[in-house]
Amino acid sequence: MGRVDVNRSGELEIFVRVIELGGFSAAARACGMTPSAVSKLVSRLEQRLGARLLNRSTRQLQLTAEGCGLYERGVRVLAALDEAERCAGIQSTPRGKVRVNANVPFGQHFLLPLAPMFLERHPDVTLDIVLTDEVVDILEQRTDVAVRAGPLKSSTLMARKLGQTHMLIVAAPSYLARRGMPLAPADLAAHNCLDANYARARSGWPLRLPEGDIVVPAAGNAQASDGEALRQLALAGLGLARLAAFQVREDIAAGRLQAVLEGFNPGDSEEVHAVYVGQGGHLPLRVRAFLDFLAEQVRLD
């Protein structure tokens, strides 16, 4: 047991606030303290633990390996306290900021349209949303929930599956009228195949032949940093694009895009997960509410 004159949970909460809010000043404002008091508290915590938790510079704070470990475990400890208080009836309403990072297609088609409903349901919660197709470090970016498509790397993070989506090769009718309909995978060599340029993008387009699966290089005169940009290029009639079905189902229904080479579609799909810090079910109420909302409302294919 710790000494009674050391408020370990209070120190931990201040430290977590410093990381989540990005600095001493922001944490001080949120906690009703002065920046110097917050800085001294973190220094005292480091001295008590015998480890440097933060590398300080004039522009930013950077977590050390020890600080990263304390932050990750601290989030779980504070979530457990929140859960204990909730069960005791002290706090039953989610409140606070939820920082969300999502890939652009999911953000455009699900997260942004659903945000008003979530905030109406939970008026004491605020959302801080970042859309990017680059995979971010949740701890480094102080993110509560990250929505990721594709296979997950092994990590200590938790994940909640939101569904999976099939992939389609599509083109605008104007492009097909100009360049012709591809009837077999070999025809793609004569077409403008638009591809993604972000790091996690798959190399080539998988297709299925009677003798087995192949991967066809996607060669074209334009690349884009996210799936929604590729969709816009396809809608403009620039070329073919391989996109998630949920991105283009409304376009196909409206005749703005047309699926091609479906007879050669291997039927592969991408799983979509909400990734977060937390183990054993211990999550802040605001994060739990957001995860439950996504699981309830998101329908992929």
Side-chain angles (χ1 to χ4, degrees):
M1 298 292 292
R3 292 169 52 193
V4 295
D5 62 341
V6 176
N7 183 357
R8 291 188 293 172
S9 64
E11 286 183 343
L12 188 59
E13 184 168 7
I14 296 298
F15 173 71
V16 168
R17 285 292 188 94
V18 168
I19 304 309
E20 290 184 339
L21 298 177
F24 295 133
S25 297
R29 288 192 297 269
C31 299
M33 302 171 63
T34 65
S36 61
V38 170
S39 178
K40 289 178 182 177
L41 185 146
V42 173
S43 296
R44 187 167 66 244
L45 177 61
E46 291 178 319
Q47 184 177 8
R48 183 165 63 82
L49 297 179
R52 179 175 289 278
L53 303 174
L54 297 168
N55 289 320
R56 300 159 173 81
S57 71
T58 56
R59 293 188 176 182
Q60 64 179 1
L61 299 176
Q62 185 177 23
L63 281 169
T64 64
E66 293 78 11
C68 187
L70 181 64
Y71 172 75
E72 184 176 344
R73 292 173 177 81
V75 168
R76 295 201 295 268
V77 169
L78 294 173
L81 288 175
D82 285 345
E83 181 74 4
E85 291 182 349
R86 184 188 69 80
C87 293
I90 297 175
Q91 180 184 347
S92 59
T93 302
R95 55 172 46 89
K97 181 180 291 186
V98 178
R99 295 173 178 82
V100 186
N101 184 288
N103 62 65
V104 178
F106 183 91
Q108 293 283 357
H109 291 269
F110 290 105
L111 185 55
L112 298 182
L114 289 172
M117 183 191 302
F118 174 78
L119 294 173
E120 182 177 1
R121 185 179 298 184
H122 301 289
D124 294 327
V125 176
T126 60
L127 291 177
D128 184 346
I129 299 172
V130 175
L131 301 184
T132 175
D133 274 36
E134 297 294 334
V135 176
V136 302
D137 185 307
I138 288 183
L139 293 179
E140 183 178 321
Q141 298 296 322
R142 301 185 296 279
T143 299
D144 293 306
V145 178
V147 179
R148 293 178 175 170
L152 293 176
K153 294 182 179 179
S154 177
S155 73
T156 60
L157 300 174
M158 304 298 290
R160 186 164 179 175
K161 185 177 177 179
L162 300 178
Q164 61 188 42
T165 181
H166 294 283
M167 306 300 292
L168 301 172
I169 298 176
V170 297
S174 60
Y175 173 84
L176 296 174
R178 189 171 70 251
R179 299 288 296 270
M181 173 71 72
L183 301 177
D187 296 341
L188 291 178
H191 280 270
N192 197 34
C193 299
L194 309 172
D195 203 11
N197 59 14
Y198 47 87
R200 68 174 184 84
R202 184 171 185 172
S203 177
W205 294 353
L207 292 167
R208 178 159 295 168
L209 296 174
E211 56 270 26
D213 291 354
I214 62 172
V215 176
V216 178
N221 63 3
Q223 293 182 321
S225 61
D226 63 74
E228 272 305 288
L230 288 173
R231 172 176 165 266
Q232 291 297 328
L233 292 175
L235 285 169
L238 184 60
L240 302 168
R242 188 171 187 268
L243 301 169
F246 74 79
Q247 287 183 258
V248 297
R249 58 191 172 196
E250 292 183 4
D251 296 321
I252 292 174
R256 295 186 293 266
L257 291 174
Q258 183 175 342
V260 304
L261 296 176
E262 274 299 274
F264 301 92
N265 192 327
D268 62 319
S269 61
E270 279 194 338
E271 292 187 344
V272 179
H273 292 86
V275 181
Y276 55 95
V277 176
Q279 293 181 355
H282 298 309
L283 286 172
L285 279 178
R286 67 187 191 279
V287 177
R288 185 189 301 277
F290 184 74
L291 289 169
D292 289 344
F293 178 81
L294 288 183
E296 171 194 318
Q297 294 294 328
V298 170
R299 296 292 181 270
L300 292 171
D301 286 356

